[in-house]
Amino acid sequence: MIKVVEPSSDTQGDAGSVEAGGYRQELKRTLGSFQVFAISFAFISVAVGIFATFDEVLLTAGPVGIWLWIVAAVGQTLVALVVAQFAARIPLSGSSYQWASRLASPKIGWWFGWLTFCYLAIGVVAVDNALASQAFMPLAGLEPDEGTARLITLVVLLIQTVLAVASTRLVSMINTVAVGLELALVVVVAIALIVVVAITGNGSAGNLTSRGVVENAPDYFSVGGGLMLAMIMGLATLVGFDSAANLAEEAKDPFRTVPRAIVGSVVAAGVLGMLFLITLTMAIDDIPRVSADGSPVAAIMRDQLGPATEKTLLVAITVAFFGAGIVVMVACSRLVYAMSRDGRFPAHRLMRRVNPRTGTPIPATVLVLALGVVLMVALPGDALLELVTASTILPAVAYGSTIVLYLAVRGRLSRRKGAFDLGRFELPVAICALVWTLVALFVLVAPREALVSVVIVVGLLLLGGLFFVVMLKLDRQALETEPGDENAFTA
């Protein structure tokens, strides 16, 4: 028999889920429904993702490669639906770490947490370094220089840390502005491009079916070839939607707002991203020249709408990058906090501390900053690039593992009346999502260029395994017991 829990949207009722998990409500519940949606949407960041990867699509698959965005959007929506099923039942910080710990075992949950931590910790650096090199430096008129980009990245990381430590509400306000600006940017620019192309004739609808500079590429349709590589734009962009679940203990009525944010952010990003890609592609007036440009999106804006519009675009992209970076940082710190309060993270007694005045986990947030500083200072350029590339594989592994977990435990999950629920569609959706994640993983690891990234992922897992063994020897109890009512979230 399935346990049905009556809904409650007040703060006391929301805190009850935290107490049932064996914790005190330490984090402040300040996030409303739009703020929760903005967290997931900012992590995805359509404009940022397209800005950073459109050049690769043009160079590997040509303009026609944009249509694979639809495939990625549908597949990632299926994954989001499964993730939302968990979020509607176990609204605790730590997302998949909590779900696996409570429904499988603490040992399995630890591995979910480690995978997610690696992805988020690398993701903060990846986003902020891209902010510096691809948006801020061109905006400021600075010549490309890796040393300058790294210095700017460190400054951005420090600013984000100060804001994240100060207040979750402040982060939410900044993030809401960034998301609103990004939404306006995508819609307004798309409309402007359509109007300009229609009036001037500079551009062509024929671009939508063109293979561009790779028209005669011999390996275009082969495994790991140009067309397959175009899928990576959607796979690299439409991720992180589960970040809202990492802040579930700071959301109001998380049983409803978090799962809706998870699914809604992917759907909105998928639709807006496709609209943006179509208009950008139609607005290309010289495919070889634009394909050769290091920043084709900015080049299209400059060609069709003028230099002033290009600057405006770069301002908006910089803000969007900043919003995405701070969301990744906050999500990572909440995961560290969640694992630490269970005694399952290095220096957990320090990392679990929450400042009573700000209601934020300051040590966990500073740790994310420290890791970013180490990566920026210690890693040479090629190694950093390979590490960032490896971070695109980690979420696919994490999502696939989450779906397998859901298929294994779905019969034991409790149901909350009025909460998000797929009902009779949950099994077919989960099976389709699993098939999709296997396809996505194949796409990510099949290219020859992915070999180093795969080795890095294996290395990160081995590093996690080393700490896991140490925990088994020194603090086995932490990996064998779970706080709270063991039946709180099961039928």
Side-chain angles (χ1 to χ4, degrees):
M1 181 176 179
I2 294 174
K3 185 195 305 180
V4 177
V5 184
E6 291 300 317
S8 173
S9 59
D10 58 24
T11 303
Q12 184 177 359
D14 294 342
S17 62
V18 178
E19 293 168 358
Y23 311 117
R24 290 187 298 110
Q25 179 70 54
E26 296 181 285
L27 304 174
K28 294 182 179 180
R29 289 197 182 273
T30 58
L31 305 177
S33 57
F34 182 78
Q35 286 78 21
V36 177
F37 165 82
I39 286 166
S40 285
F41 188 85
F43 196 124
I44 295 172
S45 194
V46 173
V48 167
I50 292 175
F51 190 87
T53 58
F54 192 53
D55 58 336
E56 289 298 320
V57 173
L58 294 179
L59 292 173
T60 57
V64 71
I66 66 168
W67 296 108
L68 288 175
W69 176 275
I70 296 176
V71 179
V74 172
Q76 295 300 87
T77 299
L78 291 172
V79 176
L81 287 168
V82 177
V83 172
Q85 290 284 99
F86 272 132
R89 290 160 173 76
I90 308 179
L92 298 173
S93 294
S95 59
S96 60
Y97 156 72
Q98 288 282 5
W99 308 334
S101 294
R102 295 178 181 278
L103 299 172
S105 77
K107 295 183 180 70
I108 293 175
W110 187 91
W111 281 103
F112 274 78
W114 178 253
L115 270 176
T116 307
F117 168 72
C118 290
Y119 165 56
L120 293 175
I122 297 170
V124 176
V125 175
V127 172
D128 288 347
N129 191 241
L131 182 160
S133 61
Q134 299 181 34
F136 183 80
M137 290 177 67
L139 176 64
L142 300 174
E143 291 298 318
D145 179 76
E146 185 178 332
T148 302
R150 290 189 180 221
L151 180 60
I152 295 171
T153 301
L154 292 174
V155 173
V156 172
L157 281 168
L158 181 59
I159 294 172
Q160 290 171 334
T161 301
V162 171
L163 293 172
V165 162
S167 167
T168 302
R169 182 185 291 275
L170 178 60
V171 170
S172 174
M173 291 171 60
I174 294 170
N175 191 48
T176 300
V177 171
V179 168
L181 185 61
E182 183 173 356
L183 289 169
L185 167 73
V186 171
V187 174
V188 171
V189 168
I191 294 173
L193 286 175
I194 292 174
V195 171
V196 170
V197 170
I199 293 174
T200 66
N202 294 330
S204 171
N207 292 343
L208 298 174
T209 56
S210 170
R211 286 167 58 177
V213 296
V214 291
E215 180 67 38
N216 299 312
D219 60 347
Y220 187 78
F221 294 103
S222 64
V223 173
L227 187 63
M228 179 182 287
L229 288 172
M231 180 83 76
I232 294 177
M233 176 170 64
L235 293 176
T237 303
L238 299 172
V239 294
F241 43 81
D242 53 322
S243 56
N246 259 329
L247 277 77
E249 292 178 30
E250 294 158 87
K252 301 173 183 177
D253 193 12
F255 292 95
R256 294 182 180 85
T257 59
V258 173
R260 289 173 183 172
I262 290 170
V263 178
S265 61
V266 180
V267 172
V271 173
L272 288 172
M274 195 68 248
L275 171 66
F276 196 36
L277 285 169
I278 289 173
T279 54
L280 279 175
T281 303
M282 289 177 60
I284 300 174
D285 63 348
D286 186 337
I287 292 177
R289 179 178 59 79
V290 170
S291 299
D293 195 290
S295 182
V297 176
I300 294 169
M301 298 296 103
R302 183 170 59 250
D303 291 344
Q304 298 290 5
L305 303 175
T309 302
E310 180 193 7
K311 289 293 185 182
T312 302
L313 168 72
L314 288 173
V315 170
I317 289 292
T318 300
V319 174
F321 265 119
F322 187 86
I326 198 169
V327 163
V328 182
M329 174 177 283
V330 169
C332 188
S333 69
R334 293 333 185 248
L335 175 64
V336 171
Y337 161 75
M339 295 181 71
S340 296
R341 66 182 174 183
D342 292 336
R344 299 170 189 161
F345 197 85
H348 59 85
R349 290 181 179 84
L350 174 64
M351 295 300 156
R352 66 177 296 170
R353 293 180 184 173
V354 174
N355 185 282
R357 185 177 63 83
T358 64
T360 56
I362 295 179
T365 308
V366 173
L367 172 66
V368 181
L369 168 65
L371 290 172
V373 171
V374 170
L375 293 177
M376 282 289 96
V377 172
L379 285 184
D382 291 343
L384 180 63
L385 179 61
E386 293 293 350
L387 185 65
V388 169
T389 305
S391 70
T392 62
I393 298 174
L394 290 169
V397 174
Y399 290 146
S401 301
T402 300
I403 296 166
V404 171
L405 173 68
Y406 182 78
L407 288 169
V409 305
R410 67 186 186 88
R412 296 194 289 113
L413 284 170
S414 63
R415 311 282 177 174
R416 185 178 177 91
K417 186 177 180 181
F420 182 88
D421 194 345
L422 290 176
R424 66 179 182 274
F425 296 105
E426 63 174 315
L427 182 58
V429 166
I431 292 173
C432 290
L434 179 59
V435 172
W436 162 250
T437 56
L438 294 175
V439 171
L441 271 172
F442 179 74
V443 169
L444 291 168
V445 304
R448 292 187 298 273
E449 300 83 354
L451 178 60
V452 176
S453 298
V454 172
V455 172
I456 290 174
V457 170
V458 172
L460 291 172
L461 293 177
L462 290 175
L463 179 62
L466 179 63
F467 178 69
F468 186 79
V469 170
V470 171
M471 281 198 65
L472 285 176
K473 289 186 175 296
L474 301 181
D475 195 6
R476 179 181 290 269
Q477 188 70 11
L479 291 173
E480 292 182 346
T481 58
E482 195 69 28
D485 180 1
E486 63 178 10
N487 298 314
F489 305 107
T490 57

